[in-house]
Structures are given as C-alpha cells and as structure tokens.
Amino acid sequence: MQVSLKKWVATGSPWVWLNAGAVAISVVLVLGLLGVIATRGLVHFWPASLQEYQYTDSSGAQMAVLGERVQREQVTAEQIRNSGIEVSDDVEFLARQLIKVGNRDLYGSDFRWVLERQLSDLTYPANAVSIERREWGNFYGYIVGIKENGQVVAEQTTADNTLLDEVQQRTERAIAIYKHIQSVEGGEIGAVNYELEKLRLAERKLQLDGRDTKENLEQLQAEKTELQARYAHLEAELMAMYTPFKRDSLLIVSADGQQKEINFSEIVRLYQPNSQNLWQKIQHYGMKLVEFVSDDPREANTEGGIFPAIFGTVLMVMIMSLIVTPFGVVAAVYLREYASQGFITRTIRIAVNNLAGVPSIVYGVFGLGFFVYFIGGNLDQLFYQSALPSPTFGTPGLMWASLTLALLTLPVVIVATEEGLSRIPRSVREGSLALGATKFETLMRIVIPMASPAMMTGVILAVARAAGEVAPLMLVGVVKLAPNLPLDMNAPFLHLERKFMHLGFHIYDVGFQSPNVEAARPLVYATALMLVVVIAVLNLTAIAIRNRLREKYRALDM
C-alpha cells in the first residue's frame, strides 16, 4: 500500500487536486465577497417601510418617532450602563435598533440608536411620507398643507390623504423645471461662459505679445458684446423659470408635532412607502438604480448618483490604455527582436520586473513632481502664459493621471508582450525573410499580429490594476467633486487639463471622509459593486478583442 501511495504521489495527482481545491476555495471566497457587497449595496435602493413608535428616554419622557429600521443587534448590559442608562444586574444582553429618523434640520442627526425596551406602540402608518431632499437628507412626516406664493391654498389633517395627488403633481412640475434650469445653466450658459473666458485669455495674450492694437481689441470687443447680450438673454430666461420654481411649498409635520415648510424646489422624490404595493416598490427600486448610475452626487456624495465617477474612471482607463499599449509594445519588440541579448538587456529586464513591484504611491509622487510640476509648469510658461498665474497643465488633471497610471502599468504590458513574442516559432520569421520580406515587414505583418493576443493580455492586466488604483490619483488629478466632465461640447471637446472623479476615490471619500458615516455606508457597498462591474466590463471587452485576434491568427500558429 505504501508503494501504491508513492506511485500516486509520483504521478502528480495530489498536486492537481490541491491546486483544484485552492482554486475552488478562491472562487467561493470571491463570490462570497461579491455577494456581501451586492447584498448590502443593492438593498439600499429598496423603499424601506416607515415605522412609528413611542420612544421613552432614560428620564421617562415619551415622544413619537417616525423612521426606518436600519439595523438590529445584541449588546451587553455593561455597554448600556457605560452610556448612562440604568440596567438591572440580572440582565446580560439587550437588543437595540438603529433607526434612520431623518429630519436632520430638526434633530441634528439622521440616525438614532434605541433600546427595544424603550419602544412601544409600533405602527406602520399608510399616510406617512418619505421626502428625499437636495439638502438636509430625508424628511419623514405627514402632509398637512400646500402653500402658493406664501398663502395656504390647501390643508388636511395628519390622518387624511386627500392632498397626495396634488402634491405629486406639483413635485413633478418642480422637478421638470429643475431639469430645464440645469440644462440651461450647464449647457447654454456654460458654453457662453466658456467662450467669454477664451476671449479674456485672447485679449491677455495680445497684451503679452504687444499686439493689443485698437483693431484687434475692437474685434474681440465685438465678439464679447455679442456673447454678453446672449448671456443676458439666457439669464432673463433663467430668472423667469426660477419664479414658478420657487413659488410652491409643502407644509409637513413630523411625528412629534414639529411643522416644517419645504419648498417643492428642494424635493427630489416624495412617496408613501407603507402604502406601496410590490409593483410600485419595484418601479421605485428601478428608478433609484437608474438615478444611481446616471445622476450627479449630492449631499457631500452621500446621496444621488455616481455618474461623474463612472465616466471619469472609464475615460481615464481608455486614455491610459491608448498611451501604455504602443509604448509597451515598442519596448518589448526592441528588447526581444532588436537588442543584443547581453548583460545590458538582462539588466533592463530585471529593472522592468522590479518596477512592477514598486508601490503605487511612489508613482503618484513621481507623477506630481515630473509630469505636473515640471512638464505641466513648462507647458504653461510656453503656451499658456495668458492664463497665468492660474495653471492650465501645471496642476493635477486627467492627462497626468493617465500618464502616471500608464507608467505604473507599463511593466505588465512589456512582460506580457515579450512572452507572446517568445512563443512565436523561429521558423515563421525565417520563412518570411526567405520569401524576401525585410525584418521590419516581418515584424509588422507576421510577428506582431501573431503576438497581439498576448499584447491584449497585458492590456487586460493593466486595465484591471489601473481601474482600481487610488493612491497615485489622489496626487495627480482626482477630486471629490468635479464641476465639469472632462468631455463636453466645448472645443476641443476633450479637456485633458481638467480634474475628474474616480470610483475608487469616491469609495474612500464616502467611506472615510463623510460627515454622515451611517448614511454613507450602503453607498460605499453600492459604489464598490459598480467599480467591480466597470472593471469586469472593461476586461470582458478586452478579452473579446483578444479572442477574435486569437481566432484570426490561429492558422499562422499551426
């Protein structure tokens, strides 16, 4: 039996099963992690029921509270005693709940921990409304009236629900006006401001060049006058929209009787979660998901969407790929096909492999010093003197972030491309040369196309690493909130000098820098899941291209 065991070990089967088990465990762990992220992130968008209860504090005073139950846990009696609440000695554990009470402008905080023994008379009122606001978070309460131009035009009791339809209509009207205002401010007015700034810089350049003659200045002034007239017209149109936008307001009362007036212009969404059926909740869930991936953030990134972060991540990775691929391929071709395989070449390969292990923050410091301050500062001195002292390229931006990550991922592309070139049989090169092709033609028409799947493998690895990097980006271009996207309709359309948002930095900012940690926690999971999805989509796209190239040149391998 000992002999047969030795034979079995000698066949290598135990190592095959060991590797298979390790791979299976890794897959289970990855799927489990993704499951936790997806569960905790996606449940955030489901409309939670509002519960009203009587809360008795440590002094015995009672108050009505309305909110969403977020979490339930068991805590030791010692923890409760340390917080100043009396607990009898025979009690070891107590249950407590984390309630999202909203109404931050009234209570000062969105969340409250309460012991279950302090709760009583729990109900789920059907007419309780949840109001998502552009500022101050959610408001939970009951509709009691509507104001128009400061005058009350409709009223109801907290137990009634007759005003809901009219409130919904006015909310939808205010949202439509808000979207129109945003399109005018960010579109037409933004374009006019951009052209006015270009004229200012053109005038400044004429002064620096000594060409600020009367004729040149008159031409600029004529264009400036025309743009200012257009701006005044758009501003008047905008003011005309703001009048009805700010006209109506909603009177609402909290569960403890405090009345609040909320302008309809502040409302993002209003609904009654306890009276929604399953289909209405599914529709609400879908709208929240669409808002999450297509809208701008608000409330210090703890509410709204993450579209600018998605856009910035994808655009930066695409630019980085366009930069790193040709440089990596050229370097690999030179090292494998042209350089003499001696001491210097081996030293370069060792250096390339070592660069792959350098911490990413080191690349960020290098990018800040070399790309931003040295190259960007000199570019400003040479071509953008009219904008100084405000830097154009001498400040972190999209171009420098892409170049820094291209430098970070360059070793990966070089190594993968070299591996692909080394697998191409020597007979293929010799056959091409024998037929009269030059070495360059052989490389361009035979060798590099056959090695293209390996090149795409390097790009896939580069994309996977670059999309998740955060540390270097904090130094060379990423910001918490970017006022404009790097790509718009203003020439030159792609603005490489602009700062941008990134999903990885968004996760860091919301999770660790947010003033409202409890409100931000579900958004952290949701954003992390979106980052995984973005990386997966980018990688799958590159894998699909690689597979097509592999099929195209399979005949040459044979």
Side-chain angles (χ1 to χ4, degrees):
M1 183 170 180
Q2 185 176 2
V3 175
S4 61
L5 181 60
K6 288 183 178 180
K7 288 183 178 179
W8 182 64
V9 172
T11 60
S13 297
W15 315 119
V16 173
W17 284 103
L18 185 63
N19 288 334
V23 171
I25 292 173
S26 299
V27 170
V28 170
L29 290 175
V30 170
L31 293 178
L33 176 62
L34 291 178
V36 170
I37 294 174
T39 302
R40 298 194 176 187
L42 295 179
V43 73
H44 171 63
F45 305 108
W46 187 262
S49 299
L50 291 177
Q51 58 182 27
E52 184 176 352
Y53 53 86
Q54 290 294 323
Y55 169 69
T56 306
D57 61 19
S58 56
S59 64
Q62 285 192 339
M63 64 179 294
V65 177
L66 180 68
E68 305 174 5
R69 193 179 84 169
V70 177
Q71 183 179 341
R72 184 180 184 273
E73 66 178 18
Q74 295 283 337
V75 293
T76 62
E78 186 65 27
Q79 289 178 272
I80 302 303
R81 295 190 189 98
N82 291 338
S83 63
I85 300 176
E86 294 184 2
V87 180
S88 59
D89 295 336
D90 58 338
V91 177
E92 294 185 7
F93 296 96
L94 292 168
R96 69 176 183 176
Q97 295 182 13
L98 179 63
I99 307 295
K100 183 178 181 180
V101 296
N103 305 8
R104 194 189 315 156
D105 42 352
L106 297 182
Y107 305 142
S109 175
D110 293 271
F111 294 85
R112 180 182 299 172
W113 281 105
V114 294
L115 296 174
E116 288 190 349
R117 71 175 193 174
Q118 295 176 302
L119 306 181
S120 60
D121 302 331
L122 177 63
T123 59
Y124 294 87
N127 59 332
V129 295
S130 176
I131 302 175
E132 296 179 23
R133 297 181 289 180
R134 306 192 192 281
E135 295 180 353
W136 296 102
N138 289 3
F139 194 98
Y140 304 127
Y142 301 91
I143 298 172
V144 294
I146 299 174
K147 274 188 174 183
E148 186 175 307
N149 291 323
Q151 302 295 323
V152 177
V153 296
E155 289 183 292
Q156 70 174 28
T157 64
T158 56
D160 202 355
N161 207 26
T162 56
L163 293 181
L164 180 63
D165 290 339
E166 186 175 354
V167 168
Q168 293 284 17
Q169 291 175 4
R170 291 177 184 254
T171 301
E172 292 173 2
R173 171 178 168 274
I175 292 173
I177 297 175
Y178 175 79
K179 290 180 178 178
H180 191 193
I181 290 174
Q182 290 295 104
S183 67
V184 172
E185 288 181 340
E188 298 175 76
I189 291 182
V192 171
N193 285 329
Y194 184 77
E195 293 298 325
L196 286 171
E197 177 64 14
K198 287 176 63 177
L199 289 178
R200 185 189 72 81
L201 294 177
E203 183 177 353
R204 173 65 176 162
K205 184 173 178 57
L206 290 176
Q207 293 174 356
L208 293 174
D209 295 343
R211 296 186 295 112
D212 51 340
T213 61
K214 183 177 180 181
E215 293 78 10
N216 291 337
L217 293 177
E218 284 180 351
Q219 183 179 357
L220 291 179
Q221 185 61 38
E223 295 180 17
K224 185 176 180 180
T225 302
E226 182 181 351
L227 287 173
Q228 287 176 336
R230 185 179 169 194
Y231 181 88
H233 174 73
L234 291 172
E235 189 176 32
E237 180 183 343
L238 200 61
M239 291 300 103
M241 286 188 286
Y242 267 109
T243 301
F245 184 53
K246 297 285 187 179
R247 185 191 65 185
D248 303 338
S249 57
L250 176 67
L251 296 177
I252 190 165
V253 64
S254 63
D256 59 354
Q258 298 185 61
Q259 186 165 303
K260 177 74 177 178
E261 181 178 344
I262 301 175
N263 198 287
F264 280 98
S265 62
E266 303 172 13
I267 299 176
V268 177
R269 188 175 289 105
L270 183 148
Y271 59 100
Q272 293 181 330
N274 295 343
S275 62
Q276 287 180 326
N277 55 38
L278 179 61
W279 173 242
Q280 289 173 326
K281 290 189 176 184
I282 292 174
Q283 286 181 310
H284 181 278
Y285 186 78
M287 287 189 296
K288 290 286 288 183
L289 278 179
V290 171
E291 177 191 71
F292 179 67
V293 299
S294 63
D295 209 352
D296 293 339
R298 60 178 189 273
E299 288 282 333
N301 286 342
T302 60
E303 299 286 347
I306 57 170
F307 174 74
I310 297 174
F311 188 89
T313 303
V314 174
L315 184 60
M316 183 209 65
V317 168
M318 292 175 65
I319 296 174
M320 181 275 300
S321 301
L322 292 175
I323 295 172
V324 74
T325 303
F327 280 100
V329 170
V330 168
V333 168
Y334 175 78
L335 290 173
R336 176 60 58 177
E337 302 294 334
Y338 286 97
S340 59
Q341 303 303 310
F343 173 76
I344 296 179
T345 304
R346 289 195 300 271
T347 304
I348 292 174
R349 285 199 178 95
I350 293 172
V352 168
N353 292 328
N354 288 337
L355 282 175
V358 173
S360 60
I361 190 64
V362 176
Y363 286 96
V365 174
F366 173 81
L368 180 65
F370 181 72
F371 291 135
V372 177
Y373 293 151
F374 180 71
I375 297 181
N378 286 326
L379 285 177
D380 284 350
Q381 291 292 338
L382 291 174
F383 303 107
Y384 300 96
Q385 285 189 351
S386 58
L388 294 175
S390 297
T392 302
F393 282 99
T395 185
L398 177 61
M399 175 185 285
W400 309 134
S402 301
L403 281 171
T404 301
L405 290 189
L407 192 64
L408 173 70
T409 56
L410 184 61
V412 177
V413 178
I414 293 175
V415 171
T417 304
E418 268 207 271
E419 289 295 326
L421 293 171
S422 66
R423 288 198 298 266
I424 298 173
R426 184 177 181 83
S427 59
V428 173
R429 296 177 174 85
E430 293 175 347
S432 175
L433 294 173
L435 291 172
T438 63
K439 186 172 184 177
F440 181 77
E441 290 174 336
T442 300
L443 283 172
M444 296 303 297
R445 298 184 181 183
I446 303 296
V447 177
I448 291 180
M450 291 180 64
S452 56
M455 298 174 192
M456 290 306 302
T457 299
V459 173
I460 291 168
L461 296 174
V463 166
R465 183 175 183 188
E469 285 292 348
V470 177
L473 296 179
M474 295 170 67
L475 300 175
V476 291
V478 73
V479 290
K480 175 176 181 173
L481 286 172
N484 302 105
L485 293 176
L487 187 67
D488 57 25
M489 298 304 295
N490 298 320
F493 309 114
L494 179 60
H495 304 274
L496 295 173
E497 76 283 0
R498 287 183 182 174
K499 296 177 175 61
F500 65 101
M501 295 180 65
H502 186 273
L503 285 171
F505 184 76
H506 190 274
I507 294 170
Y508 164 76
D509 177 69
V510 174
F512 299 97
Q513 303 294 317
S514 173
N516 197 346
V517 177
E518 295 293 346
R521 186 177 299 163
L523 199 63
V524 171
Y525 287 106
T527 308
L529 179 63
M530 182 55 61
L531 178 59
V532 173
V533 171
V534 168
I535 294 174
V537 170
L538 291 172
N539 283 345
L540 289 174
T541 303
I543 290 171
I545 297 173
R546 183 187 64 182
N547 291 340
R548 292 192 63 180
L549 293 172
R550 184 175 293 164
E551 290 296 326
K552 182 177 180 180
Y553 298 108
R554 184 182 297 274
L556 293 176
D557 292 333
M558 298 173 60

